[in-house]
Amino acid sequence: TTDSPVENTLRTGPPSAVKNLGGGVNKTYKGVIGGMKAIIKPISGLASQRMREHIRAGADTEHELAAQIINDAMGRPVDMPVVAHRDFGDLEGPDGPIGDAFVSEFKPGENLGNTGGKWDTNDEDTANIGLLDSIIGNQDRHGHNALVVNDDHIIAIDHGLAFPEEN
């Protein structure tokens, strides 16, 4: 992990304003942690069945953390949210106690899937995302797992369906 101020805030900051985000396969909340907007995915809300062959069900948190470590080792060529693992204990979410969860910083941007697929917005970003996805075996890169900022920058989100058990 990066052990950055953002990561430390995600791990230890006081949570508030937790609400359903909606969409996607996994239970996902948006909230505020230590004054910072964040995405929260309770481990108990992860899909219990395999979404892709050779990807272990429920391992999303491990995969998100591992993708961050590899991106860091590469010199952070891909802009992606800082992620952390956290136990919220009995803190109530919209659907009951949140408990053990994956948290990530909220990155503003327009969902690439809603832009008509502007993957050519930034060739360097696209190439770097493709390289990282190839290294980690990401099987879920599509327009709804990328954000466009200011029509010229792409942020990669959601690396949960990576690191296949076999290739």
Side-chain angles (χ1 to χ4, degrees):
T1 59
T2 63
D3 216 18
S4 69
V6 171
E7 187 176 348
N8 287 330
T9 298
L10 290 171
R11 272 200 242 118
T12 62
S16 63
V18 177
K19 299 176 180 160
N20 274 319
L21 181 61
V25 174
N26 298 316
K27 187 183 297 183
T28 306
Y29 303 137
K30 59 184 175 180
V32 176
I33 299 177
M36 180 178 69
K37 290 181 182 179
I39 302 297
I40 304 166
K41 292 186 177 184
I43 304 290
S44 64
L46 297 176
S48 60
Q49 297 179 345
R50 288 181 186 258
M51 298 298 299
R52 299 283 194 282
E53 189 176 356
H54 308 302
I55 302 287
R56 186 168 46 92
D60 301 50
T61 300
E62 297 164 25
H63 297 167
E64 294 284 356
L65 292 168
Q68 177 174 277
I69 290 167
I70 290 172
N71 191 44
D72 288 348
M74 294 170 60
R76 290 197 62 79
V78 174
D79 188 355
M80 57 191 273
V82 173
V83 299
H85 176 250
R86 178 169 180 174
D87 188 350
F88 288 95
D90 293 333
L91 177 72
E92 285 291 318
D95 304 311
I98 295 174
D100 205 21
F102 153 75
V103 292
S104 71
E105 72 177 313
F106 173 81
K107 291 272 196 170
E110 184 177 5
N111 190 293
L112 188 64
N114 297 336
T115 67
K118 296 181 181 176
W119 283 105
D120 60 351
T121 296
N122 183 314
D123 290 341
E124 184 177 356
D125 288 348
T126 302
N128 287 335
I129 292 168
L131 176 61
L132 178 65
D133 283 348
S134 178
I135 290 169
I136 67 175
N138 190 343
Q139 298 181 14
D140 197 32
R141 180 66 58 219
H142 54 80
H144 292 285
N145 284 340
L147 303 172
V148 177
V149 180
N150 298 327
D151 284 334
D152 68 352
H153 180 63
I154 301 174
I155 299 171
I157 60 171
D158 197 346
H159 302 88
L161 293 178
F163 301 98
E165 294 170 336
E166 56 184 79
N167 227 346

